Amino acid sequence: MKTKLIPVLLASALLASAPSLSFAQAAPATAAAPQGQAGQVVLDASTRILSTLQQRRGEFRSNPTALRGFINGELTKTFDRDYAARLVLGVHGRGASDADVKLFADAMADNLMQRYGSALLEIQGKPSFRLKSEAPLPGNRGVKVSTELVRAGSEPTPVDYLMRNVNGQWKIFDVMIEGISYVQTFKTQFDAPLRQKSIQQVATELRNGSMQAAPSGK
C-alpha cells in the first residue's frame, strides 16, 4: 500500500522527496519564509488537487493524457523535482550537470505516473489532509510539515513533507509516509544501477520501461 501511496501523495501536494542532505549540489534555500506558510501550501494544494481529481474523475479515466498533464502541472507548482533527484542520486550525482539531473528527475516521475497514475482516481470518499505541526529542519535546510491523510473507514496515515523556500516559494523535496522517505527509498533502489550505468542510461531505461521506479515494500 505504501508503494501506491507514494505517487498518490506526490500528486496530492507534492506531491510529492530526511536523509543526509550534505551531498546535494543544488542552489541553497533562500531566507526562511514566515512560519506556518509551508503548512498552508500543503493544505491548499492537497485540497485543490483532491477536489479536482474527484470532479474530473470521469474525464481523467477516459483520457490518461489529461490526467498526466494535470499531475505534471501540479508537480511543477509544489515539488522541487530536480533537487529531490539530486538527493536520490546521492554520490552518483556529484558533478552531474543540471541537464542530466533534470533528465533523471523527469524520467523517474514519468515512470511512476505511468504505473500508478490511475490509482489517484480510485480514492474513495472524501480524503483530506490534517495539519499537525510545522518545525524547522536542522541546519536551516527548511521545514518539516507533519500531516495526516484522513480517509473514511481507515486509520489516519502520517505524512511528513520536507520543504525548502525557493525564491520565496515553499517547495516539497521529500515525502515521508509512515516514516518511509521517498528520497531514501529511491536512493536505495537506484544505487546499484547507477554504479554500473550512467545517469543518462538509467533515465533512458526508465523512459522506455525496461527499468521501473518500483521500490520494494508492502
Side-chain angles (χ1 to χ4, degrees), residues 8 31 41 60 71 86 123-125 133 142 171 187 195 209:
V8 169
V41 168
F60 286 152
I71 293 172
R86 281 203 180 271
I123 301 175
Q124 300 300 315
S133 65
K171 293 269 192 174
K187 181 183 175 185
R195 290 181 185 276

Side-chain angles (χ1 to χ4, degrees), residues 54 123-128 149-157:
Q54 291 178 345
I123 301 175
Q124 300 300 315
K126 295 183 178 180
S128 63
L149 174 62
V150 182
R151 294 169 293 168
S154 301
E155 290 293 320
T157 302

Side-chain angles (χ1 to χ4, degrees), residues 7 17-18 35-36 45 56 63 69 75-76 88 98 107 124 128 149-150 159 161 173 185 194 202 212:
S17 258
Q35 186 78 2
R56 300 176 63 184
N63 188 349
L75 284 171
T76 300
V88 171
D98 290 344
Q124 300 300 315
S128 63
L149 174 62
V150 182
V159 183
Y161 298 87
F173 64 87
T185 295
L194 288 166
V202 172
Q212 300 291 349

Side-chain angles (χ1 to χ4, degrees), residues 17-134:
S17 258
S20 172
L21 309 184
S22 59
F23 50 73
Q25 298 180 24
T30 59
Q35 186 78 2
Q37 287 189 358
Q40 195 60 49
V41 168
V42 169
L43 291 181
D44 289 349
S46 300
T47 301
R48 179 182 69 250
I49 293 168
L50 290 173
S51 175
T52 301
L53 288 170
Q54 291 178 345
Q55 292 172 4
R56 300 176 63 184
R57 181 173 294 171
E59 173 194 351
F60 286 152
R61 278 179 173 162
S62 62
N63 188 349
T65 300
L67 173 62
R68 289 176 61 189
F70 169 70
I71 293 172
N72 283 330
E74 293 297 336
L75 284 171
T76 300
K77 293 177 186 176
T78 57
F79 189 50
D80 198 345
R81 190 184 309 196
D82 292 355
Y83 182 70
R86 281 203 180 271
L87 300 182
V88 171
L89 289 168
V91 296
H92 307 292
R94 289 176 179 170
S97 68
D98 290 344
D100 281 350
V101 173
K102 185 178 188 306
L103 186 70
F104 176 78
D106 291 348
M108 187 168 68
D110 187 63
N111 187 281
L112 279 170
M113 290 307 138
Q114 282 188 24
R115 301 191 69 216
Y116 299 115
S118 61
L120 298 170
L121 303 178
E122 305 309 319
I123 301 175
Q124 300 300 315
K126 295 183 178 180
S128 63
F129 283 89
R130 180 165 57 209
L131 182 63
K132 294 179 62 180
S133 65
E134 180 177 325

Side-chain angles (χ1 to χ4, degrees), residues 8-19:
V8 169
L9 294 170
L10 282 176
S12 289
L14 321 152
L15 158 173
S17 258

